[in-house]
Amino acid sequence: MKRNYYLILIASCFLFAACDKKKDRIFDESPTDRLNTAVANAQAVLVSKPNGWIMQYYAGDGAQYGGNNFFVNFTSATAVNVQADYTNTNATSTYKVYPGAGPILSFDTYNPIFGMFAAPGAISGYVNYDVGLGGDIEFLVMKATADSVILKSRKRGNRIVMVPMPANPATVISTYKTAFNTYYAPNSYRFETPTGNIALNFYDYMELHSLTDTYSFRVTPTGLDFYQTVTVNGITFKELTLMPATATYPNGYYANVAGTLKLVPIF
Amino acid sequence: MKFSKFYLALFAGALAISACKKEKLESNSVFVDSTIEKNPLDNYIYNNFILNYNVDILYKYVDKESDLNYNLIPASYNSSIRLTKLFKYLGFEPYDDVTGSKAFIKRYFPKLINYIGEAAYRNNGTKVLGTAEGAKKITLYEVNRLTATTGVNADFLTDSYFHTIHHEFQHILNQTTEFPTSFNAISGNSYVDDVWNTTYTSTGAAVAAGFISPYSSSGAKEDFAELYSFYITLSATQFNALLNSTGSTAAGRTIINNKLIVVKNYMLSVWNIDMDVLRANIVNRKANLASFDQTTL
Ligand SMILES: [Zn+2]
């Protein structure tokens, strides 16, 4: 089908090829050309980092499952190596950037690190039989520059940011994994604020739930970075910092900058 | 390489057209193909499937070719290599052998084969293992289940992929030349449409009613394709075991055998394919699976 279409097109190209007076002006304005340029730019930015990128990955409707840090290195025009904070798996698969509503980044052969989030629940064992964690494998590239790539996951619409991996990726990745394991070691957590405490629980994918709210965030080497700004008992924050153990908190805790809110591990 | 230059030339040509017509290009106009880097599997598919059979295999996930109603994950590269090599070995070459050339598959087989890593799951607990869209495309699911172990398990390969492939192919042959209406009369009004999986919950119960599988009872076209596919992909021993499943009856077996004669006659008279010769070829290939190289490209 496609091939025939191209053949017809190329035939008509020859018919019209003689007439090309205003080709250059049209070339500059063509939306097709703009999209092709955006695709080429996104592709070039992705492969421009020899250490790859740290991808802030959120799955599910409203980014409810997450987040995680994926360490994504685009090593050629089609090959991508993926690691993550939640696993020791290191897997190479393929990707492409193709034109759609804008450039679309597609991880187009199976990679187990995306697979756990993208697989139906029947395969991953999470949530429900059909959707599972609802992780995307295709992303609309909203912005691609040397210092960050902003993606929007295609099915769930989650904002997913990629920042360049600093030097010594092996060390950085190991730091992230340690932070991740530290965070997930307790059985649960609670918020402590001057106006009262709030009990929390890990749910399906160990994201934190209170009775009324779900909290999505990534674990970073310095603490927790939330998907969006949250307000707990009137205290608003986007990040919490991991604080060392004290006599009162022998397992340490995560706190906001003002020190008015603590996220305390319960073992 | 050839492709990228071709597309680039085409793109320039397309722009020339738009200049003449003073129109803006639509967003569905021709785009530069950004995946010009061909890997060994791409080359294998080009040399063995596109050149020989005019059939393309999409092993990489392509959004617009996939069913967006489901959460789907891509096929893995390694499983795709296995399935692609096995597709040729168990899917195409038996027909080449029996008809004497590649022309039969080239002319009638769907032009696009789409691989998906796992099944498409519905929230009611059922899953989709294969689909065909008209005569154009076949989609195969659970490709990632194909491993070094399952790859030499002939029953697994039949159940997971090749039963579907031959079943769908039969539909396409039927669309080209319809099977005789005498077939429809045999089970008459006992087809049950959508409630096949609740009407017959075992093979034996289906056989007792004159159907080779519960799904066969959904309609005459499905029945025809099921009979064909079960017959040619199973050995005589396996097929007889199916006919004698627990709960089956002699009366049911008679109905099935009467229908089978119509299927065989159709294949022989319309397509000049002797189903017993085709079955022998496939059964022999299955027996030699262990010595078939499914990883080298
Ligand atoms: Zn069918």
Side-chain angles (χ1 to χ4, degrees):
Chain A
M1 259 319 233
K2 216 173 191 178
R3 192 148 298 149
N4 291 338
Y5 169 64
Y6 286 141
L7 284 172
I8 291 162
L9 192 53
I10 203 166
S12 37
C13 286
F14 288 127
L15 293 175
F16 288 98
C19 155
D20 62 352
K21 280 172 254 172
K22 298 197 172 170
K23 188 162 72 178
D24 288 343
R25 191 179 63 80
I26 299 292
F27 192 91
D28 289 338
E29 291 175 353
S30 156
T32 305
D33 182 57
R34 265 205 307 275
L35 187 45
N36 275 330
T37 304
V39 168
N41 173 65
Q43 172 88 48
V45 168
L46 293 176
V47 297
S48 70
K49 304 291 175 188
N51 294 329
W53 302 82
I54 299 175
M55 179 189 231
Q56 304 170 359
Y57 188 84
Y58 288 87
D61 289 327
Q64 60 180 311
Y65 306 117
N68 282 93
N69 298 286
F70 289 6
F71 311 107
V72 181
N73 196 351
F74 302 89
T75 55
S76 80
T78 57
V80 60
N81 176 265
V82 189
Q83 302 181 60
D85 54 10
Y86 76 90
T87 173
N88 286 325
T89 301
N90 177 337
T92 295
S93 54
T94 64
Y95 78 99
K96 63 174 168 269
V97 182
Y98 68 94
I104 292 170
L105 167 60
S106 173
F107 293 87
D108 61 359
T109 53
Y110 180 71
N111 189 300
I113 288 176
F114 284 95
M116 193 188 89
F117 294 93
I123 304 301
S124 68
Y126 285 108
V127 195
N128 54 14
Y129 203 69
D130 51 348
V131 176
L133 291 169
D136 272 295
I137 54 165
E138 293 209 316
F139 308 89
L140 181 62
V141 180
M142 311 296 285
K143 186 194 124 196
T145 58
D147 54 341
S148 72
V149 175
I150 313 288
L151 306 169
K152 186 178 176 188
S153 69
R154 279 192 85 199
K155 279 189 179 169
R156 318 288 160 198
N158 295 334
R159 178 185 156 93
I160 290 177
V161 177
M162 295 203 298
V163 295
M165 169 68 81
N168 303 314
T171 310
V172 174
I173 290 170
S174 139
T175 312
Y176 270 94
K177 286 183 179 177
T178 303
F180 183 88
N181 292 331
T182 301
Y183 171 77
Y184 282 111
N187 292 317
S188 65
Y189 280 86
R190 72 167 165 261
F191 281 126
E192 292 187 7
T193 71
T195 56
N197 297 345
I198 296 174
L200 300 166
N201 247 329
F202 292 124
Y203 270 32
D204 294 306
Y205 179 67
M206 297 181 79
E207 77 281 8
L208 277 182
H209 283 239
S210 71
L211 224 45
T212 51
D213 294 295
T214 304
Y215 301 99
S216 301
F217 50 82
R218 296 175 303 124
V219 184
T220 70
T222 55
L224 308 177
D225 180 20
F226 287 70
Y227 181 68
Q228 53 197 6
T229 301
V230 291
T231 302
V232 174
N233 284 354
I235 300 166
T236 298
F237 56 93
K238 170 85 167 52
E239 288 176 45
L240 298 177
T241 306
L242 178 61
M243 307 301 284
T246 65
T248 322
Y249 299 101
N251 297 305
Y253 57 93
Y254 298 87
N256 65 342
V257 178
T260 50
L261 174 138
K262 296 183 178 70
L263 180 66
V264 181
I266 299 163
F267 281 84
Chain B
M1 270 315 238
K2 236 180 193 173
F3 272 124
S4 69
K5 279 182 190 164
F6 175 63
Y7 285 126
L8 282 169
L10 196 49
F11 182 54
L15 286 166
I17 298 181
S18 73
C20 293
K21 291 185 169 177
K22 301 194 177 179
E23 282 173 2
K24 281 183 181 174
L25 281 176
E26 296 299 321
S27 60
N28 60 358
S29 300
V30 179
F31 286 96
V32 181
D33 185 351
S34 60
T35 55
I36 50 171
E37 199 174 276
K38 301 289 180 223
N39 64 39
L41 180 55
D42 295 328
N43 293 331
Y44 182 88
I45 290 168
Y46 182 74
N47 290 323
N48 291 276
F49 283 78
I50 296 179
L51 289 185
N52 288 339
Y53 298 107
N54 196 24
V55 169
D56 198 2
I57 296 181
L58 295 181
Y59 68 92
K60 290 181 175 178
Y61 183 81
V62 178
D63 192 59
K64 68 179 164 59
E65 298 290 353
S66 307
D67 192 332
L68 298 177
N69 294 316
Y70 298 101
N71 238 38
L72 301 175
I73 58 172
S76 76
Y77 185 72
N78 288 335
S79 295
S80 296
I81 292 173
R82 284 183 192 280
L83 187 55
T84 301
K85 294 207 71 178
L86 285 164
F87 209 114
K88 184 165 171 262
Y89 178 72
L90 284 173
F92 285 0
E93 287 177 352
Y95 291 98
D96 297 352
D97 290 348
V98 171
T99 62
S101 83
K102 296 182 171 68
F104 183 70
I105 290 291
K106 187 172 185 172
R107 178 147 182 211
Y108 296 109
F109 203 83
K111 299 298 170 236
L112 204 54
I113 302 166
N114 193 22
Y115 290 174
I116 300 292
E118 290 290 350
Y121 286 85
R122 301 188 188 94
N123 59 10
N124 68 1
T126 62
K127 60 181 179 178
V128 179
L129 282 179
T131 54
E133 286 168 34
K136 286 179 288 188
K137 182 173 85 178
I138 283 186
T139 301
L140 293 174
Y141 296 85
E142 296 199 338
V143 173
N144 294 351
R145 306 282 173 105
L146 191 46
T147 64
T149 310
T150 58
V152 291
N153 181 337
D155 292 340
F156 170 86
L157 295 177
T158 302
D159 293 347
S160 300
Y161 314 110
F162 289 95
H163 177 80
T164 303
I165 291 165
H166 294 287
H167 171 113
E168 299 299 347
F169 188 35
Q170 182 59 232
H171 283 321
I172 288 151
L173 296 179
N174 299 163
Q175 284 163 19
T176 308
T177 304
E178 284 184 27
F179 57 77
T181 50
S182 61
F183 181 87
N184 303 336
I186 299 176
S187 281
N189 54 10
S190 41
Y191 291 110
V192 297
D193 269 338
D194 288 349
V195 294
W196 59 271
N197 59 335
T198 48
T199 307
Y200 301 108
T201 53
S202 72
T203 302
V207 170
F211 302 111
I212 192 65
S213 68
Y215 187 59
S216 275
S217 73
S218 63
K221 284 177 182 170
E222 296 310 321
D223 195 9
F224 198 91
E226 284 286 271
L227 278 165
Y228 172 75
S229 189
F230 275 117
Y231 192 82
I232 64 159
T233 59
L234 299 180
S235 69
T237 311
Q238 287 175 313
F239 191 78
N240 285 333
L242 209 56
L243 286 179
N244 289 283
S245 302
T246 310
S248 64
T249 63
R253 281 189 286 278
T254 302
I255 298 172
I256 290 174
N257 282 323
N258 289 342
K259 287 190 282 196
L260 197 51
I261 289 172
V262 182
V263 181
K264 283 185 170 188
N265 267 333
Y266 166 83
M267 285 306 291
L268 199 57
S269 60
V270 176
W271 302 107
N272 201 23
I273 288 175
D274 183 326
M275 278 169 55
D276 287 293
V277 176
L278 183 59
R279 170 201 254 183
N281 188 295
I282 290 172
V283 168
N284 183 50
R285 284 169 182 273
K286 284 165 72 174
N288 291 321
L289 259 184
S291 57
F292 176 72
D293 176 357
Q294 29 186 290
T295 54
T296 310
L297 292 171

